Amino acid sequence: MSDHRTAGTLYHLLTKNEHRGELLLPLAELRNRYPDLYERHAAKYAGRHAAMTQPVPPLDCTWEDVVFLSPVHPAPLFAALQRSGRKVGQPEPATLDAGRLDPARCVIKLMRHGTDGHYPDQPDEHDYLPLTTATLRAVNRVTIDAVARLEQLQPNDPWLPWVDVPHVLHRGPIPFDWFDRPNAARAGN
């Protein structure tokens, strides 16, 4: 682990049924350990399965080898979805102290919705930033453009709330007990 701790908070939406074992696993590891969870999460890539094998060059792995974390709280994104007429609840994400992660196993991936307005553009080498306190602070706010895109969704549009929000990618599993889960006491987890 690096001697430099990254200061900041990361977010992940943990569902009750996702909490199996002691580790939050990337898709590639879910496939063998929990095939039902793999199928549920892989379904998000219907019609674009090639995205799962997209390389993440700075981590020398693929998209399905990483755990996705958000540098932004999802409340503004889900509020915008509600304003577009979607029936979604207000999520209470689990939080993770970014300092627990080894920066050598992480990267911030900048995201831009593509020309269709829904799916992300293909990344290039300039879309990856190291996980540091400074870079995390630079990407920890939801942009006005992201909110506007979600508010203007049409009924048949895909509603990918994270498509233009930077992702923090962590290569490999993350212990569940590193997360603070606001509903853990109420949900009996």
Side-chain angles (χ1 to χ4, degrees):
M1 187 122 172
S2 170
D3 292 340
H4 301 295
R5 285 180 36 94
T6 302
T9 300
L10 300 172
Y11 303 91
H12 186 82
L13 295 176
L14 288 172
T15 64
K16 188 174 183 179
N17 295 333
E18 187 176 10
H19 188 232
R20 293 193 198 158
E22 297 179 7
L23 300 171
L24 177 60
L25 300 171
L27 271 175
E29 293 185 42
L30 280 178
R31 182 183 298 116
N32 295 324
R33 275 199 210 167
Y34 305 109
D36 61 315
L37 284 179
Y38 172 81
E39 290 301 324
R40 191 175 89 213
H41 289 287
K44 299 172 192 171
Y45 296 93
R48 52 190 189 99
H49 288 286
M52 295 188 329
T53 57
Q54 175 182 316
V56 180
L59 298 179
D60 193 31
C61 66
T62 67
W63 200 246
E64 66 180 355
D65 296 317
V66 298
V67 170
F68 300 90
L69 303 162
S70 175
V72 303
H73 194 285
L77 301 169
F78 282 75
L81 282 169
Q82 288 174 337
R83 289 189 296 274
S84 77
R86 301 295 195 280
K87 298 202 182 314
V88 295
Q90 275 300 330
E92 292 187 50
T95 58
L96 174 65
D97 175 354
R100 298 199 92 165
L101 300 177
D102 179 354
R105 299 184 64 79
C106 298
V107 67
I108 296 174
K109 182 181 180 300
L110 301 178
M111 302 289 289
R112 295 176 310 280
H113 65 77
T115 56
D116 68 356
H118 304 299
Y119 297 101
D121 279 343
Q122 286 297 315
D124 64 30
E125 69 274 9
H126 304 292
D127 290 323
Y128 297 98
L129 304 173
L131 180 65
T132 67
T133 301
T135 57
L136 191 55
R137 285 180 183 168
V139 298
N140 72 356
R141 300 285 187 270
V142 174
T143 66
I144 293 169
D145 288 344
V147 169
R149 181 187 63 79
L150 293 170
E151 289 175 338
Q152 295 169 17
L153 288 176
Q154 299 302 306
N156 293 326
D157 288 342
W159 59 278
L160 302 168
W162 310 103
V163 77
D164 40 17
V165 173
H167 293 27
V168 175
L169 308 178
H170 177 272
R171 182 175 181 170
I174 301 173
F176 279 118
D177 64 2
W178 286 9
F179 290 90
D180 177 29
R181 296 180 297 138
N183 290 323
R186 286 182 279 167
N189 290 334

